[in-house]
Amino acid sequence: MKYFALLCVAVVCAFTSFSVKAADTKQFVLVTMDSQDEHWLTVKKGAETKAKELGGIEISFRAPAGKVDPNEQIRMVEDAINQEADAILLAPSDKAALAGVVDRAVEAKIPVVIIDSSVDTDGYVSFLATDNYMAGAMAAKRLAKEINNKGDVAIINAQPGSGTAIAREKGFVDCIKKDYKDINIITIQYCNGDKVMALNQATDILNAHPDLAGFFACNEGSTVGVSRAIEEQGVAGKVKVVGFDMSKDVISAIETGLIQASAVQNPFKMGYEGVQAAADAIAGKSVTPKVDTGVMIVGKAELPSILKK
């Protein structure tokens, strides 16, 4: 009995110690648009790196199974609210659809940090993203240079309701209309970031427009899909492509000349500084309401310096 009693005390002490530790650990929930693109996995890596540096923060990573599912994102944020998460980091796939649940999180006194793409409410503590309008304009200038400032071009965008997609498309279109009178945008299509859908859309466009000069692909999925269409149709170098984001597939497409350049963001910084912003908000510290995480156009000449980082 003596040894049994001692064992019980030890078990109780161990359980108490674990409970205190768990209570002291802040639970941050990171909800992205999907868990497939390297962009979102890099956001996750940045968030986890900062959480480890700060200590006492656990990151729960959640994303819809499909490429575009704002309803699933809403459910995930609602779950985080019900579980009384200490902070929520959210990349909204639809800026209007996610606004209500962000407001509910704010009402529950949970700090919300918006990353990558905007939302139609302003209760969040910070918004960390690329200046996507400017990035779209930068892509327009690079594609115009590649096609000698003339010809028909097509846009393969991601999600039609995403603030990110809207801004990139508008930046590109506005720049073309303002500065390049001999470039004609013949179509804008949406692949929801799905590589196969982008491949099929780009193939159809190439077949319908044999004199097409170029494509602007607005995210990693659309960029990879367009590059595969370029390869399958045997028009590498003839039809120029400026894409968006960086991944192993995008790097390979640049190296082999299937695409000429891609607008490269800093998703690691979004996750890394997003966790810091949430932690500062919890601590009552001042938080910068909007952070431009940067973008640059990377072609074959710029690729070596990027790969060294």
Side-chain angles (χ1 to χ4, degrees):
M1 287 294 293
K2 178 179 179 182
Y3 292 112
F4 178 76
L6 289 173
L7 177 61
C8 289
V9 170
V11 170
V12 170
C13 288
F15 181 79
T16 302
S17 175
F18 174 79
S19 299
V20 170
K21 182 179 180 181
D24 287 344
T25 301
K26 300 295 184 186
Q27 302 294 327
F28 286 15
V29 177
L30 169 62
V31 180
T32 63
M33 295 186 195
D34 69 64
S35 60
Q36 301 169 43
D37 287 354
E38 288 186 38
H39 177 83
W40 301 118
L41 298 178
T42 305
V43 169
K44 174 177 178 281
K45 184 178 180 181
E48 290 173 340
T49 299
K50 174 52 77 172
K52 185 176 180 180
E53 288 179 6
L54 293 175
I57 296 173
E58 182 177 302
I59 303 291
S60 295
F61 177 57
R62 300 172 188 173
K67 293 291 293 183
V68 182
D69 195 342
N71 290 327
E72 185 66 5
Q73 280 195 315
I74 290 170
R75 186 191 66 76
M76 289 173 173
V77 176
E78 286 176 339
D79 285 348
I81 295 169
N82 294 334
Q83 293 164 11
E84 299 182 346
D86 293 290
I88 297 170
L89 286 77
L90 171 66
S93 61
D94 187 301
K95 67 177 187 174
L98 273 295
V101 76
V102 169
D103 287 337
R104 288 197 288 279
V106 173
E107 289 169 5
K109 312 246 181 255
I110 299 174
V112 178
V113 173
I114 302 297
I115 57 174
D116 186 83
S117 190
S118 63
V119 66
D120 285 343
T121 187
D122 56 4
Y124 53 82
V125 297
S126 187
F127 174 37
L128 299 96
T130 302
D131 183 336
N132 285 290
Y133 182 89
M134 180 184 73
M138 290 167 64
K141 292 178 185 297
R142 181 58 177 261
L143 185 58
K145 180 180 179 181
E146 294 288 345
I147 64 175
N148 297 315
N149 300 331
K150 63 180 183 294
D152 293 340
V153 300
I155 299 173
I156 305 289
N157 206 341
Q159 302 89 350
S162 163
T164 294
I166 292 168
R168 291 174 190 172
E169 179 185 307
K170 183 169 174 52
F172 183 91
V173 171
D174 286 354
C175 181
I176 293 296
K177 287 183 176 179
K178 177 177 179 289
D179 297 330
Y180 302 100
K181 304 304 181 185
D182 293 326
I183 296 177
N184 180 40
I185 300 171
I186 59 167
T187 186
I188 301 173
Q189 299 189 25
Y190 300 90
C191 69
N192 293 329
D194 185 273
K195 296 170 185 176
V196 175
M197 187 180 293
L199 163 62
N200 293 334
Q201 290 172 333
T203 299
D204 289 344
I205 292 168
L206 287 167
N207 288 333
H209 302 275
D211 294 326
L212 189 78
F215 281 102
F216 172 42
C218 299
N219 80 325
E220 195 263 347
S222 59
T223 302
V224 173
V226 170
S227 73
R228 290 174 181 171
I230 294 292
E231 182 175 29
E232 289 183 6
Q233 296 297 307
V235 291
K238 176 186 174 185
V239 179
K240 310 294 186 178
V241 181
V242 174
F244 220 102
D245 291 327
M246 187 61 69
S247 68
K248 292 178 182 177
D249 287 338
V250 175
I251 290 169
S252 176
I254 293 173
E255 289 176 334
T256 57
L258 293 175
I259 72 173
Q260 281 57 57
S262 187
V264 178
Q265 306 182 83
N266 194 338
F268 184 91
K269 185 176 181 180
M270 293 178 193
Y272 186 87
E273 294 196 3
V275 168
Q276 183 68 66
D280 286 345
I282 291 171
K285 297 180 182 178
S286 176
V287 178
T288 303
K290 189 171 184 179
V291 178
D292 181 353
T293 51
V295 65
M296 64 182 297
I297 303 294
V298 175
K300 190 176 288 188
E302 298 85 9
L303 200 55
S305 62
I306 291 294
L307 296 178
K308 287 180 182 177
K309 295 182 179 179

